[in-house]
Amino acid sequence: MIKDLTWSYPHIADEPEGRKQIKKAEKFCEDYKKFLNIAKTERECVNVVEVMLVNAGYERFDVNRKYKAGDKVYEINRGKSIIATTFGTADLDEGIRLNGAHIDSPRLDLKPNPMIEAGELAQFKTHYYGGIRKYQWVTVPLAMHGTVVRKDGTSACICIGEDENDPVFYISDLLPHLSQKQDQRTLKDGINAEELNIIIGSMPIDLDGLKASDAKAAKEAKNQIKLNALKLLNDKYGITERDFARAEIEFVPAYKAKDVGFDRSLIGAYGHDDRVCAYPALMAELATKKPYYTTLTFLTDKEEIGSLGNTGLDSHYIYDFIEYLAQNQGVDVKDVCANSCCLSADVNSAYDPTFPDVFEEQNSSKVNHGVVLTKYTGARGKSGSSDASAEFMAKVIGIMDKAGVF
Ligand code: MN
């Protein structure tokens, strides 16, 4: 009895049942790493996820079709958010079960008129997206991802820096001999936003490769290094400088996901936040065969910048989809919502012994101590938080306990 009075969250390796799960988790993570490598932006995520859904028998949702338990449908919002549903045996007005995560990640976006030439280097000017620590983005290899819509309405998908044979891009920093003044800055401003310029070229346009009239124009042009970069982009993608205003170009670390540690127990990768939740949510959705409650798995855009915009959760797209589901079954959407439950999944920071001061150890999540259930977030008195009720926590903890989840 006395031993049952206290509680501490077990380490997975200390539990016989937990040890059995380690092998399974490692296998699961092999595919997770592949997902991280091929889906670094929200658009890429949606494209990859759509293929996985279609291969698993999901069809585009049609409000006029009749669905039965076990049927699987999906919907895409503007190529940047995706919803997947498996119909349950219960009527929809008994509620649905939602599980969502975001698929946008912090990165460097290009400004609409991004290309400059300065000091005989061609560079892209960036505007960072989401919560980044700016000093972390210098001197690391970067890859260029994105979409450009040309004047004629066709679009080009760009991905440079991910293939072994691709070039990569860099943002420079000062060498120690020249950084005396910079060293006086605070860490936050060690690199400031306007210094996040990406080096894209150093050689002028090759006049020999051009026809006579072009060679003449190029010779008279002012910024021949910038011109060279534009020419190379035009050769490959058929785009011009003007097209950057019709584009979404994102720079992300060019690294692939790697195991970390002698024991390979951790994964180092770009975009864990929040693919670490989006991928398991998707796997759970795919594995659901004929549930009691209808599922709704949403992988959404724009969380990093406050969930705004028509592909973020502050828009109506999830609610509208639920309304279509209700309409499809002839039930009141208010009843559907009133009886529904939602897990909003996102990353949590793990206790770091190098920086113990910022954690309250007893209430911090710890590596290898299982799934994190975050009752509330927010700051300054739970401000900005959704604080889960005792009843809801009991429901979720009960489900986890029953399934042997730590
Ligand atoms: Mn997140």
Side-chain angles (χ1 to χ4, degrees), residues 156-177:
C157 278
I158 296 177
C159 181
I160 305 171
E162 297 293 348
D163 189 274
E164 229 13 71
N165 299 311
D166 281 354
V168 292
F169 306 90
Y170 273 91
I171 297 170
S172 63
D173 193 6
L174 287 170
L175 65 165
H177 316 76

Side-chain angles (χ1 to χ4, degrees), residues 153-228:
T154 60
S155 56
C157 278
I158 296 177
C159 181
I160 305 171
E162 297 293 348
D163 189 274
E164 229 13 71
N165 299 311
D166 281 354
V168 292
F169 306 90
Y170 273 91
I171 297 170
S172 63
D173 193 6
L174 287 170
L175 65 165
H177 316 76
L178 297 176
S179 69
Q180 253 183 327
K181 217 170 138 197
Q182 186 198 36
D183 290 343
Q184 304 307 312
R185 301 182 189 176
T186 59
L187 180 63
K188 181 171 167 285
D189 299 314
I191 297 292
N192 64 51
E194 292 305 327
E195 290 167 341
L196 291 173
N197 297 324
I198 299 169
I199 295 170
I200 56 169
S202 68
M203 287 295 287
I205 193 163
D206 179 8
L207 300 177
D208 293 343
L210 301 173
K211 62 179 188 203
S213 58
D214 280 345
K216 186 169 176 288
K219 206 171 175 181
E220 286 163 6
K222 251 198 207 141
N223 296 316
Q224 299 203 357
I225 296 164
K226 172 178 159 179
L227 197 59
N228 190 33

Side-chain angles (χ1 to χ4, degrees), residues 13 16 20 84 146 156 185 251 265 268 375 397:
K20 274 191 244 159
R185 301 182 189 176
F251 280 79
S265 62
K375 187 179 183 297
I397 291 170

Side-chain angles (χ1 to χ4, degrees), residues 323-342:
E323 198 155 13
Y324 277 129
L325 292 178
Q327 186 185 327
N328 179 261
Q329 283 201 3
V331 299
D332 192 328
V333 68
K334 295 192 289 298
D335 294 329
V336 180
C337 289
N339 293 317
S340 291
C341 301
C342 179

Side-chain angles (χ1 to χ4, degrees), residues 102 104 106 272-274 303-304 345-347:
H102 69 93
D104 61 319
H272 275 308
D273 183 0
D274 188 27
E303 189 279 342
E304 289 291 343
D346 206 342
V347 298

Side-chain angles (χ1 to χ4, degrees), residues 45-153:
C45 264
V46 166
N47 292 342
V48 167
V49 170
E50 184 181 17
V51 171
M52 291 164 84
L53 291 174
V54 169
N55 287 343
Y58 286 73
E59 289 180 12
R60 204 86 186 211
F61 176 64
D62 176 357
V63 71
N64 296 315
R65 246 188 75 185
K66 283 293 157 228
Y67 294 101
K68 58 181 190 314
D71 283 349
K72 288 172 170 282
V73 297
Y74 73 98
E75 195 53 82
I76 292 176
N77 180 10
R78 295 167 171 81
K80 302 213 276 186
S81 297
I82 189 162
I83 300 171
T85 279
T86 305
F87 287 94
T89 53
D91 288 338
L92 268 183
D93 50 8
E94 286 187 46
I96 59 175
R97 295 293 177 263
L98 297 98
N99 184 11
H102 69 93
I103 49 174
D104 61 319
S105 293
R107 60 182 186 239
L108 301 178
D109 287 346
L110 288 193
K111 291 185 177 183
N113 189 16
M115 212 184 270
I116 58 166
E117 180 179 323
E120 300 182 358
L121 287 174
Q123 294 180 316
F124 274 146
K125 295 197 73 65
T126 65
H127 194 139
Y128 64 97
Y129 172 97
I132 67 165
R133 306 200 75 189
K134 298 179 200 82
Y135 70 87
Q136 293 179 343
W137 288 75
V138 299
T139 71
V140 294
L142 298 171
M144 178 177 179
H145 293 241
T147 298
V148 184
V149 180
R150 304 181 191 94
K151 194 177 180 182
D152 65 4

